[in-house]
Amino acid sequence: MKIKIANHSGFCYGVRRAIDLAIKNSSEQKTYSYGDIIHNEDEINRLKSYNIEPVYDIANMEQNAKVVIRSHGEPRKTYEKLKEQNATIVDATCPYVKRIHSLIEEYSSNGFTIFLIGNKDHPEVTASIGWSRSDIFVFGDPDELLSFDKELDNVLVLSQTTIKESLWDSCAEIIGKKYKNVVFINTICSATSLRQNSTRALAAEVDAMLIIGGKKSSNTKKLYEISYSINKNTFFYENKDEIIVQKFKIYDIIGISAGASTPKWVVDELVEKLLNESEE
Amino acid sequence: MKIKIANHSGFCYGVRRAIDLAIKNSSEQKTYSYGDIIHNEDEINRLKSYNIEPVYDIANMEQNAKVVIRSHGEPRKTYEKLKEQNATIVDATCPYVKRIHSLIEEYSSNGFTIFLIGNKDHPEVTASIGWSRSDIFVFGDPDELLSFDKELDNVLVLSQTTIKESLWDSCAEIIGKKYKNVVFINTICSATSLRQNSTRALAAEVDAMLIIGGKKSSNTKKLYEISYSINKNTFFYENKDEIIVQKFKIYDIIGISAGASTPKWVVDELVEKLLNESEE
C-alpha cells in the first residue's frame, strides 16, 4: 500500500506553533489559554494532560498566572490587563497576524487611517482593531464601502487573514476609486487555499482519498466535497477507530488530507494502522 | 498615488524569523550566525550593528559563544559539536525544515528507509540527511531513481523545500512503481511559487510595477521577468536611492514586489519616498 499525504494538510502553521508553545511552556503549575486554542476536543483533552486549560475571563485567573495568547491574537489592552495581574504571557499570536498588528501600529502612528477588510465580530479582527493609534474602519463587504463617505488623506488597507481573494479585490477596487493616497497590503494567509488546492491535486492522482477530521468541522467537510467531486473513492473519517483497513486493500495508492483542526497524531495513528494491517 | 504591495513579497517566513530571532538574542557580547543568515549585504551590515557576525568554522568560535543556527538548518552533529563548546544555541531553523528533520528522525527510527528529493549539495539537504537514524538516499532527478535498484520494505519520501512540483511528481511516479510500501509527504514550501504568483496577479492590475531587490539576486530577476511579461511598465530598483519619483507621477496605481532577500525596511523606505515626493 502506498500512502500520499497532501502538502498543507492539517493544522495551519500558526495553530501548530501555538500548541507547541503552550506545551513547551507548560509545567506543574496550571497554564491558561485565553480562549480556546483549537476547536478539537481530543486535542483540548490532550492539552489538559499538560495542565493547559482555557479561561474566558481574565478576572477568573489568579495573580501571577501563566497565560497563552492564542494564534488569533489579542488587542493591546489585553496585554495591559494581563500585566496588571502580573501574568506571565506566552505570546502565540500567529506571526502573520502579528505582522498585521505591527503594520496597523506603524501606519496609524504616521498619520494613516486604517481600513481592515474582514468580519467585525471575528476575534482576529477584534484583536487587530486594538492595535491602532488612530481611526480604523472594518468593512465586511463592498456595499459598506460604497456608502462610506469620509474624506481622508492617507489610507492603509489590510485584510483579515482568512477572507477570500475575491472580497479583497472587490473592496480594493472601490477604495482605489474613492481615495487618492492609499497603500494596499493584502494580508490574506494562503493556508486555506493551499490546503484545498493540494487536496484537489492529490485526489486526482490517487486510487482512493481519506479525509481526516471532525464531522462537525466545516473546513474538513469542504475538503471532502472537493475531493469527492474529483475522486468518487473519497472517505471521511474522524480517526483511526472508524477505518476498516480490509476495505482499502484493493487500492494501490491512497491519498490522505486532514482538516485545519485535525492534530497530526490523529493522522499518524491512522497511517500506522493502514500500513500495519494491510501487511496482514 | 496608490501603492499596492504584493502579498508574499520579500523575505519568506523562515528567513524573517531567523533574523528576528538573531536580533532578539543579540547583546553586547558577539552573536555568531553559523554561515550567512541572508544573502543581502545591506542586511548583513545592519546585523553587524547588533554584534551579529557570521562564522564559517566552529573551530573559530571561542568557548561559551552564542550562535544562531540559520533557517537552512544543521545536521544533528553540529548541535553536538556546539554543545561540546558550551555554546548557547539560538535555533532559527525554518519550522518547515524542522518538520522534515522530525519526520526523518521519526520514520528512520521506525524501520523506514528515507528518500529525499533534492540537491545533495544544498545546505538544507546536508542538514536534513544528518537527522536520519538509518539509510537515507538523495535523488536530484528521475534518472538517478531509475538506476537505483536496492530492495526495500518501507520507504518514506520527502522533498527539499525549494524543489519544483514537477520534479516531485516525476520522482514520486517512479518510486510508486518500484516500491510497495511507501509514504509520500510532499514537503515543498510554497513561498517561491506564492511570491511569483502574487507578483503576476498584481502586475496585471496596476499601471506600473516596481520590483525591489539586489541586481544579482536571481529570484528578484525572475520576478522582474514575470512582471515585465505582463506589464511593460515594470522597473527594477535596488533601493530608494535609485528611484526618481517624478517619473511615476503619471501612474495612478503602482504595484510593488520584492525578492526573497530584500529586507522590509528597504521597501518601507521606498514607499515613504514615493508617497512623500508624489505630494510635492
Side-chain angles (χ1 to χ4, degrees), chain A residues 1-9 13 16-17 95-96 99 103 106-107 112 154 165 168-169 172-173 175-190 194 205 252-253 264 268 271 275 278-279, chain B residues 1-9 13 16-17 95-96 99 103 106-107 112 154 165 168-169 172-173 175-190 194 205 252-253 264 268 271 275 278-279:
Chain A
M1 182 176 293
K2 286 142 209 162
I3 294 173
K4 288 195 171 187
I5 299 177
N7 198 352
H8 309 290
S9 153
Y13 173 63
R16 198 168 66 228
R17 176 173 171 275
Y96 298 109
R99 178 181 169 227
L103 287 166
E106 178 190 333
Y107 277 78
F112 277 76
N154 293 311
E165 290 283 348
W168 169 262
D169 290 342
E173 198 187 331
I175 297 166
K177 282 182 188 147
K178 280 202 173 195
Y179 296 100
K180 241 185 65 191
N181 280 315
V182 192
V183 176
F184 295 89
I185 306 182
N186 173 336
T187 47
I188 296 174
C189 160
S190 323
L194 286 172
E205 58 166 296
D252 184 29
I253 306 184
K264 180 179 172 293
D268 285 349
V271 168
L275 288 175
S278 69
E279 294 277 294
Chain B
M1 181 177 290
K2 285 142 210 161
I3 294 173
K4 288 195 172 185
I5 299 178
N7 197 351
H8 309 288
S9 153
Y13 173 65
R16 198 168 67 229
R17 175 173 171 274
Y96 298 108
R99 178 182 168 226
L103 286 166
E106 178 190 332
Y107 276 79
F112 277 76
N154 292 310
E165 290 283 350
W168 170 263
D169 290 342
E173 198 187 332
I175 297 166
K177 282 182 190 149
K178 280 202 172 195
Y179 295 100
K180 238 186 67 188
N181 279 315
V182 192
V183 175
F184 295 89
I185 307 183
N186 173 337
T187 47
I188 296 174
C189 159
S190 323
L194 286 171
E205 58 165 294
D252 184 30
I253 306 184
K264 180 180 173 290
D268 284 349
V271 168
L275 288 174
S278 69
E279 295 276 293

Side-chain angles (χ1 to χ4, degrees), chain A residues 36 49 60-61 69 91 152-153 164 171 186 188 197 223 226 253 259 266 272 279:
Chain A
D36 289 323
S49 73
N60 293 338
M61 251 172 40
I69 306 252
D91 194 348
L152 298 167
D153 276 342
K164 289 192 173 157
C171 290
N186 173 336
I188 296 174
N197 290 342
L223 289 185
I226 288 171
I253 306 184
V266 170
E272 212 184 310
E279 294 277 294

Side-chain angles (χ1 to χ4, degrees), chain A residues 5-261:
Chain A
I5 299 177
N7 198 352
H8 309 290
S9 153
F11 287 177
C12 68
Y13 173 63
V15 170
R16 198 168 66 228
R17 176 173 171 275
I19 291 174
D20 287 350
L21 274 174
I23 291 177
K24 199 175 149 189
N25 285 282
S26 66
S27 60
E28 280 182 25
Q29 183 205 345
K30 191 189 283 181
T31 303
Y32 293 99
S33 76
Y34 188 43
D36 289 323
I37 207 163
I38 173 85
H39 296 292
N40 179 288
E41 234 169 283
D42 286 343
E43 186 70 358
I44 287 178
N45 283 332
R46 189 176 77 99
L47 292 174
K48 282 186 183 158
S49 73
Y50 289 95
N51 280 323
I52 301 164
E53 299 218 6
V55 65
Y56 303 98
D57 186 345
I58 294 180
N60 293 338
M61 251 172 40
E62 65 273 18
Q63 288 277 320
N64 303 307
K66 199 191 288 177
V67 60
V68 179
I69 306 252
R70 59 189 180 161
S71 54
H72 289 318
E74 284 293 329
R76 196 195 296 111
K77 70 168 188 295
T78 301
Y79 290 78
E80 288 163 2
K81 276 192 208 160
L82 290 171
K83 276 174 199 160
E84 279 167 25
Q85 294 239 43
N86 273 323
T88 301
I89 299 172
V90 176
D91 194 348
T93 305
C94 165
Y96 298 109
V97 174
K98 203 79 203 163
R99 178 181 169 227
I100 295 175
H101 297 179
S102 307
L103 287 166
I104 290 177
E105 198 166 27
E106 178 190 333
Y107 277 78
S108 67
S109 304
N110 289 327
F112 277 76
T113 300
I114 314 296
F115 284 6
L116 185 57
I117 313 300
N119 173 355
K120 274 181 202 45
D121 302 319
H122 192 284
E124 179 195 315
V125 173
T126 324
S128 295
I129 291 172
W131 288 92
S132 186
R133 301 279 183 189
S134 61
D135 283 348
I136 179 163
F137 300 95
V138 180
F139 300 99
D141 66 60
D143 290 345
E144 290 172 35
L145 269 163
L146 285 171
S147 59
F148 184 85
D149 56 5
K150 228 173 149 67
E151 278 190 30
L152 298 167
D153 276 342
N154 293 311
V155 179
L156 171 71
V157 190
L158 302 173
S159 51
Q160 181 184 334
T161 57
T162 47
I163 64 166
K164 289 192 173 157
E165 290 283 348
S166 56
L167 175 62
W168 169 262
D169 290 342
S170 53
C171 290
E173 198 187 331
I174 298 169
I175 297 166
K177 282 182 188 147
K178 280 202 173 195
Y179 296 100
K180 241 185 65 191
N181 280 315
V182 192
V183 176
F184 295 89
I185 306 182
N186 173 336
T187 47
I188 296 174
C189 160
S190 323
T192 305
S193 63
L194 286 172
R195 193 181 300 106
Q196 294 181 354
N197 290 342
S198 52
T199 299
R200 188 176 288 117
L202 189 56
E205 58 166 296
V206 297
D207 302 314
M209 274 295 279
L210 304 181
I211 307 295
I212 319 297
K215 292 282 157 44
K216 286 185 204 158
S217 155
S218 66
N219 83 79
T220 313
K221 266 187 265 179
K222 179 80 192 163
L223 289 185
Y224 175 80
E225 285 161 19
I226 288 171
S227 180
Y228 186 79
S229 74
I230 288 164
N231 188 325
K232 297 299 170 218
N233 299 323
T234 295
F235 305 88
F236 192 152
Y237 295 116
E238 188 129 5
N239 54 45
K240 73 168 193 319
D241 299 333
E242 292 184 349
I243 193 170
I244 297 161
V245 177
Q246 187 62 30
K247 187 170 155 185
F248 291 92
K249 286 192 174 177
I250 55 167
Y251 302 115
D252 184 29
I253 306 184
I254 293 174
I256 292 182
S257 184
S261 51

Side-chain angles (χ1 to χ4, degrees), chain B residues 46-62:
Chain B
R46 188 177 77 99
L47 292 174
K48 281 186 183 159
S49 74
Y50 289 95
N51 281 323
I52 301 164
E53 300 218 7
V55 65
Y56 303 98
D57 186 343
I58 295 179
N60 293 338
M61 251 173 39
E62 65 273 19

